[in-house]
C-alpha cells in the first residue's frame, strides 16, 4: 500500500481549522502553496479563484490548486462557519480537483466531520479566523495519521464521484440511448394519436 | 505522509470476505502468513489461537498474528456471519494486536461496514465459506486504495483505544486515586455514624 501506483496520495497537512467568520471579513489575496480545501458548514462565502469569483453555499466544497491566486470573503446574512485544510498531494487523480466545487453527499459529509474532529486534536484553536493555526505540542496517538487517512478517504470518495459523472460506462450510455429512443417513439405516437383524434 | 515514522502501516490486503457459515463447519488448522482479522457480525465462532481457544460472539473482533496456528469453527444456535481479512502491516503499534480480541464500538463498527462494502467491490463472492476469495478482474476507481484506507482507519481507532485502556494519563490516575480516598472517607464516616447510632 501507499505505493507509487496509487492514483492519489495525501503527502502532508500543513494546517487546518474550522472557524466562524464575521460578515464582510476577508483574507488577503495570496498564492496557494499546496492545495486548499474550503468547506462551508453554514452561511455563505465568496471565493476568488485566480480571475473569477465563486459563491460557495452551505454544504459545498471548493478546492484551490497549487499556485492559484485565492482569497475568501464572508458574505450573506449569517456569519459563515468554514472548514479549511491546506495540504499537499500527488497522483494523477488530483487533476479532477482543479477548478472543482461541488456539494457534499452524506457519506462525504460524515467523513469530513471525522476529519474536522481529528483536526481539533492536532491543531490549536485560532482567535482570528483569517489565521491558519499551528500544531499542538502534544497530539494523541494516531491523530496525525488519522487526519491524513480521513482526508485521503474524502478525496477518493469525491474523485470517484467526479469520475462517475464525467465518464459513463458503456452500459449506462446504452441505457441512456435506449431511454431517449423510447421517449422519441412515445412522442411520435402521442403526436399521431393527437392528430388522429382531431381529424377523425 | 505514509512515511517510515507512521506507528502503523497497512502494506497489503491479500484477501477478504464476508460469509455465512453452517453450524459445525470449520477451517483446517493452518499457520497465518500475515495478519488475519476475524469479526463476528452475528452468531458465534470458536477460534483456535496456537494452543488455546477463544469463543467469539457477535460484535467482537479478533486478530491472529503472523506465524500463529489458527482455525475457526462455527458454533452456537444460529449460522454465524463472519467477516475475515488477511492483510500485511508493519509499525510498532501492530504489537497491540497480538493476542487481541475485543468488542467493537459504534465508530469502529461503522468503519468496518465501509471496509466490508469496499471489499465487495474488490473481491469475488465465495461459494464455500472456508475458501478465501480472489480479486475481481475489474475494480472501480479507488476500490483497492479505499479498502486499505478503511482498514488502516479501523486499526488506528482500535490501537488508540487499547493504548487508552492500558496507559492512563497522570490526570486520570490522580482522579481515580482521589475517588478512592473519598470513598474510603465515606466508608469510615458511615461506620462511625452507624456505631454511634447503635450506642447512644
Amino acid at each position: 500500500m501507499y505505493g507509487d501506483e496509487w492514483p492519489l496520495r495525501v503527502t502532508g497537512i500543513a494546517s487546518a481549522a474550522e472557524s466562524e467568520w464575521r460578515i464582510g471579513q476577508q483574507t488577503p489575496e495570496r498564492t496557494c502553496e499546496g492545495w486548499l480545501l474550503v468547506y462551508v458548514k453554514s452561511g455563505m462565502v465568496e471565493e476568488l479563484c485566480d480571475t473569477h469569483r465563486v459563491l460557495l453555499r452551505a454544504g459545498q466544497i471548493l478546492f484551490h490548486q497549487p499556485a492559484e491566486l485565492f482569497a475568501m470573503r464572508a458574505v450573506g446574512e449569517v456569519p459563515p462557519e468554514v472548514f479549511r485544510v491546506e495540504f499537499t498531494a500527488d497522483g494523477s487523480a488530483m487533476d479532477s480537483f482543479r477548478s472543482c466545487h461541488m456539494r457534499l453527499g452524506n457519506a462525504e459529509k460524515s467523513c469530513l466531520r471525522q476529519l474536522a474532529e481529528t483536526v481539533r486534536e492536532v491543531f490549536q484553536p485560532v482567535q482570528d479566523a483569517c489565521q491558519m493555526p499551528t500544531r499542538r505540542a502534544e497530539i494523541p496517538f494516531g491523530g496525525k495519521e488519522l487526519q491524513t487517512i480521513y482526508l485521503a478517504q474524502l478525496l477518493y470518495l469525491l474523485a470517484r464521484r467526479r469520475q462517475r459523472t464525467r465518464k459513463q460506462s458503456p452500459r449506462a450510455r446504452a441505457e441512456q440511448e435506449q431511454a431517449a429512443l423510447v421517449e422519441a417513439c412515445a412522442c411520435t405516437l402521442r403526436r399521431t394519436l393527437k392528430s388522429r383524434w382531431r381529424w377523425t
Side-chain angles (χ1 to χ4, degrees), chain A:
Chain A
M1 130 163 159
Y2 306 146
D4 291 335
E5 79 284 7
W6 277 45
L8 191 161
R9 281 188 311 266
V10 174
T11 51
I13 296 183
S15 87
E18 187 176 292
S19 40
E20 197 182 288
W21 295 65
R22 294 189 313 276
I23 294 167
Q25 195 179 2
Q26 56 189 330
T27 67
E29 287 186 15
R30 198 156 67 82
T31 306
C32 265
E33 278 179 41
W35 288 86
L36 174 61
L37 173 167
V38 181
Y39 174 70
V40 182
K41 212 173 146 192
S42 66
M44 227 156 53
V45 300
E46 192 192 63
E47 290 287 326
L48 169 71
C49 308
D50 270 336
T51 51
H52 67 286
R53 289 174 192 279
V54 176
L55 194 69
L56 213 59
R57 292 165 198 276
Q60 288 186 322
I61 199 168
L62 178 143
F63 289 87
H64 292 288
Q65 59 181 298
E68 186 173 296
L69 185 75
F70 80 96
M72 194 187 101
R73 194 162 64 96
V75 293
E77 308 277 299
V78 289
E81 284 177 294
V82 184
F83 179 57
R84 303 198 303 160
V85 184
E86 281 185 346
F87 66 100
T88 49
D90 55 27
S92 57
M94 283 308 294
D95 281 341
S96 58
F97 295 108
R98 298 189 195 280
S99 312
C100 161
H101 63 107
M102 62 205 293
R103 178 165 296 282
L104 288 197
N106 283 339
E108 295 145 6
K109 269 186 194 166
S110 131
C111 177
L112 194 125
R113 255 196 306 274
Q114 289 174 304
L115 173 59
E117 261 173 47
T118 321
V119 157
R120 277 194 289 273
E121 292 179 3
V122 177
F123 290 99
Q124 280 167 339
V126 279
Q127 294 303 317
D128 177 10
C130 277
Q131 279 190 323
M132 287 304 268
T134 50
R135 206 162 279 177
R136 286 181 191 274
E138 280 209 23
I139 300 170
F141 170 82
K144 245 179 71 191
E145 293 79 12
L146 273 171
Q147 184 184 245
T148 308
I149 287 173
Y150 289 129
L151 178 58
Q153 183 182 324
L154 178 68
L155 294 179
Y156 269 102
L157 292 178
L158 291 173
R160 170 173 271 202
R161 178 142 69 93
R162 278 182 82 79
Q163 290 224 341
R164 247 199 318 258
T165 48
R166 280 190 304 179
K167 280 191 266 169
Q168 276 187 327
S169 71
R171 188 177 161 178
R173 229 177 7 247
E175 275 175 4
Q176 213 170 40
E177 280 164 13
Q178 198 173 20
L181 188 66
V182 167
E183 180 51 31
C185 291
C187 189
T188 312
L189 191 64
R190 269 197 301 272
R191 258 205 304 260
T192 315
L193 284 173
K194 218 168 166 186
S195 55
R196 284 208 165 200
W197 183 258
R198 208 176 286 159
W199 299 112
T200 51

